[in-house]
Every structure is written in C-alpha cells, then in structure tokens.
Amino acid sequence: MTKLFFTSESVTSGHPDKICDLIADSILDEAIRQDPYAHMAVEASIKDELIMVFGEATTTAKIDYETIAKNVLKEIGYNEDYKVITKVTTQSSEICNAVNRDEVSAGDQGIMFGYASNETESLMPYAIDAAHRLAKRLEDVRRNDARLQPDGKTQVTCEYEDGKFKRIDTIVVSTQHTKDITQEELKDLIMNEVIKPVIDASDVDENTKYLVNPSGSFVLGGSFGDSGTTGRKIVVDSYGGYAPIGGGCFSSKDPTKVDRSAAYYSRYVCRNLVANGLCDKVQIQLSYAIGEPNPISVNINTFNTGKVSDEELLDIVNKNFDFSVANIIKELDLRKPIYKTTTNYGHFGKEYLPWEQFKKLNY
C-alpha cells in the first residue's frame, strides 16, 4: 500500500495578485465587449494605493483604464483612494502580422497542459477543488460579515492510498479581519460558517487538522500588506500542482494568445475523455509556434488508467477535436466578454464555462 500527501491552495479576490488579475480581465472584457477582435495583453501591478496598468492593445475599443481599475477595487471591497498610472501601447506589428494571416495563428510560442480526474464531480483533483470551494465560501461569508476583510487564502492537504483519495489531512484558512474580532471568535466563525458547510464530513476524521489564521493577527492585507501583479497565481488558476503548468498565465490575454485559449481547449479535451469513460485521469500537453495555426505537438498521458492505450486514445482525440487556433476560438466561442468569470477560484471546474461542457465522442 502506497500512501502519499498532496496539497493545493486557493486565494480570495482580495489577494493582491488576484486584484491585478481581475483588473486585467475586466479590461479585456471591456475591449471584447466593444471589439470582439481586440488584441489585448494589458496587465496590472499594485502596491499600497498605487496601481500600474501597462501592456499592449490593438483595438478600436475606447477603454478608460483608470476607471476600470478603481471600480475593480471597489467591487472587491477596498475603498481607499487609489492612484492609477497607465502605460499601454499598440501591439507589435510583427506579432500582429503573425497572428492575422489567412488562417488565425498562434500569437506566441508556448506549451500548455490540460488535466482531468474522476475523483470529484467537477473532474478536478480533490485538493484544488476543495481549496477553491473553501475560498469561495470565505468570500461569500466575508461579504456578509463586516469583521472579515477581502484578503484570504485556503489550503487543503489530502491523503492518498494507492493513488486514490482517502481523506483530508489538513485544512488551512487565513483571512484578513478587523481589529474587533478575537482569534477565538474568528476560529469559531471560520469552522462553522466556512469549513463545515463546504467539506463533506465523510472526507475528514478525528485526525484531520484545522489551522485558522496560524500566523495570528491578519489586519493589514491586500495591497497594503503585500504587492500584487497579474499572472502570479498560475498554479492556483490551473490544477493546484497536480499537473505541470505551461509557460504563461491566463488573465489579460485575448483568445489568440494560446497560453490561454489552448490551455482552455486542452482542459476541454481532457474533461471529455474522462466524462466519456475512456480513462480515470488524463493529462495533455500541447505546443505551438508563433504564426502557426496548428500545434506542433500533442502528448497524452493517462497514467495507466486508460480503457485503451494512450496511442489509441490520441487517435480518438484527433478524430473528435481540432486544435487549430481558429477552431478553438470558434468551438469555445471565446470572442465574448466572459473572462471576469474565470479570474477567481480557478479557470477550470466551473460548470458554466464553455470548456467545461460535455461532448459525446465518436470512437
């Protein structure tokens, strides 16, 4: 019997890196709302009351970057007076020409990974699925309890036996809070309002450890407790470390950027291989070259859980899926302002997203 432990984390919308992700995706949504063919890669950084918005944009959209950034902070729950510095230029003509050929082509080189596992209903790995659900619940509770503040983190450690989920070993929840709540009150609140409503009692036991604000007081948070930058939570955004990560982040990028769109499509493929009963878990790696419409490699690994060989599975994938950049954008309908809905609590596993839909495979 082989026993091992695996840990994944999530963060709330008030985490400084996620503030910047949400600014970037809010800008992208506004650009696509006005101009579905916008080429965008506009990011953000934040420290204290200073926000920097910077990057490249080639679009007919008229975007008020400062207002969008400030509105994001208010939406999250930060009401300080922020200053916004903006430096946005047009996209390199060489990159633009490489993308806008007769057939839409990749906007950059890179590698992307998809993953799916049947250990949860969302077909996501257990630890990251649970960490996201805890972070989302923490956010919901915070918005109805003024003693809690926007910045927060969750972490879940699972015990596996022979590759199968057995139990939760440790749950960590850290939340920003006001000065008028004691640590004891905070621990009771988090246990009763966050952890117990989310975690199935059958997944924990008498030996499960619960750590609530293990550092103690957490009053200073958000950009005043740390700095933040778009694209620094790529493990949180993907599979919580269960699968490798690609070379780039998701937030800020329009769908011609395969770092984002091909990562979404690779999840779509993996999810449906598992959903169609062809394997218990699967990982796909894709690679693209700038200016090329199709991937230059596709690699599949079912970790010996496949009902057919990996080579046969690749044939099934090629018969049912089209990895060209143009098809990815079309099949997943990615020229719509949907990206703010992806920013927090993972880009995968949300049933309303187009790459999380079921597709019956022919084989």
Side-chain angles (χ1 to χ4, degrees):
M1 183 179 296
T2 302
K3 179 188 294 187
L4 61 85
F5 296 86
F6 197 91
T7 304
S8 297
E9 71 158 350
S10 183
V11 298
T12 63
S13 69
H15 185 283
D17 292 330
K18 275 296 157 194
I19 293 171
C20 296
D21 284 345
L22 191 57
I23 290 172
D25 280 335
S26 297
I27 289 168
L28 175 61
D29 275 359
E30 181 57 31
I32 291 178
R33 187 174 290 110
Q34 298 181 44
D35 173 15
Y37 293 87
H39 291 291
M40 302 294 295
V42 177
E43 305 178 4
S45 288
I46 191 169
K47 177 56 185 162
D48 294 342
E49 78 289 348
L50 178 64
I51 304 169
M52 292 171 284
V53 176
F54 52 90
E56 297 79 46
T58 300
T59 178
T60 59
K62 305 300 180 184
I63 303 171
D64 186 341
Y65 297 104
E66 179 176 351
T67 297
I68 290 174
K70 289 183 175 181
N71 284 343
V72 164
L73 271 297
K74 291 178 182 177
E75 179 183 327
I76 291 170
Y78 292 119
N79 297 307
E80 287 80 5
D81 185 19
Y82 292 91
K83 177 183 179 182
V84 180
I85 297 174
T86 302
K87 181 66 174 179
V88 178
T89 60
T90 56
Q91 185 184 49
S92 160
S93 60
E94 294 165 314
I95 295 176
C96 194
N97 291 337
V99 173
N100 295 320
R101 295 181 171 177
D102 292 339
E103 184 176 358
V104 179
S105 300
D108 200 356
Q109 72 174 47
I111 58 174
M112 307 85 208
F113 288 90
Y115 185 86
S117 168
N118 64 4
E119 63 186 66
T120 64
E121 289 185 6
S122 66
L123 303 185
M124 290 287 286
Y126 189 99
I128 187 64
D129 180 76
H132 283 324
R133 288 187 288 115
L134 285 167
K136 178 63 169 64
R137 177 65 182 177
L138 177 59
E139 175 105 13
D140 293 342
V141 171
R142 182 267 295 183
R143 290 186 180 275
N144 291 291
D145 191 324
R147 297 174 299 172
L148 301 184
Q149 297 294 288
D151 197 353
K153 285 187 172 184
T154 62
Q155 186 170 285
V156 176
T157 300
C158 297
E159 180 182 335
Y160 286 82
E161 278 190 359
D162 294 333
K164 300 291 186 180
F165 169 79
K166 181 181 179 183
R167 58 183 284 274
I168 296 176
D169 181 75
T170 307
I171 293 174
V172 183
V173 178
S174 294
T175 179
Q176 185 185 8
H177 58 86
T178 60
K179 294 179 180 179
D180 58 354
I181 184 171
T182 68
Q183 289 299 304
E184 201 58 42
E185 289 172 331
L186 184 65
K187 289 177 181 178
D188 287 343
L189 175 64
I190 297 303
M191 178 58 73
N192 293 316
E193 298 298 328
V194 177
I195 296 174
K196 287 183 177 179
V198 168
I199 301 299
D200 194 312
S202 64
D203 292 337
V204 297
D205 58 26
E206 67 276 7
N207 295 315
T208 299
K209 298 177 285 292
Y210 302 94
L211 303 176
V212 177
N213 278 31
S215 67
S217 179
F218 183 8
V219 173
L220 186 66
S223 61
F224 294 88
D226 199 357
S227 60
T229 295
T230 297
R232 289 206 299 205
K233 284 290 173 281
I234 53 179
V235 176
V236 171
D237 288 345
S238 54
Y239 303 101
Y242 280 84
I245 54 176
C249 72
F250 303 147
S251 291
S252 85
K253 297 175 180 177
D254 73 77
T256 66
K257 311 293 192 300
V258 285
D259 277 335
R260 185 171 211 164
S261 55
Y264 290 169
Y265 199 73
S266 61
R267 161 64 181 177
Y268 180 59
V269 174
C270 287
R271 188 199 183 285
N272 279 293
L273 292 177
V274 174
N276 279 269
L278 288 164
C279 51
D280 294 335
K281 63 179 177 179
V282 62
Q283 173 185 294
I284 289 181
Q285 185 206 50
L286 304 178
S287 66
Y288 288 80
I290 188 169
E292 292 295 320
N294 296 293
I296 56 176
S297 69
V298 180
N299 176 276
I300 291 181
N301 183 2
T302 61
F303 309 95
N304 297 316
T305 70
K307 309 311 183 224
V308 297
S309 70
D310 288 359
E311 185 176 342
E312 291 174 289
L313 198 62
L314 182 57
D315 287 338
I316 292 171
V317 166
N318 287 329
K319 290 175 183 176
N320 286 272
F321 297 98
D322 177 355
F323 292 94
S324 68
V325 179
N327 178 71
I328 289 173
I329 294 172
K330 179 181 178 181
E331 188 172 357
L332 298 183
D333 201 12
L334 297 180
R335 295 196 190 275
K336 289 186 176 179
I338 60 171
Y339 296 101
K340 277 183 66 176
T341 67
T342 69
T343 308
N344 291 301
Y345 318 114
H347 290 244
F348 308 119
K350 299 170 180 173
E351 61 183 10
Y352 53 83
L353 292 172
W355 47 93
E356 296 296 326
Q357 305 311 303
F358 178 75
K359 177 177 181 175
K360 178 65 178 175
L361 302 185
N362 297 315
Y363 54 91

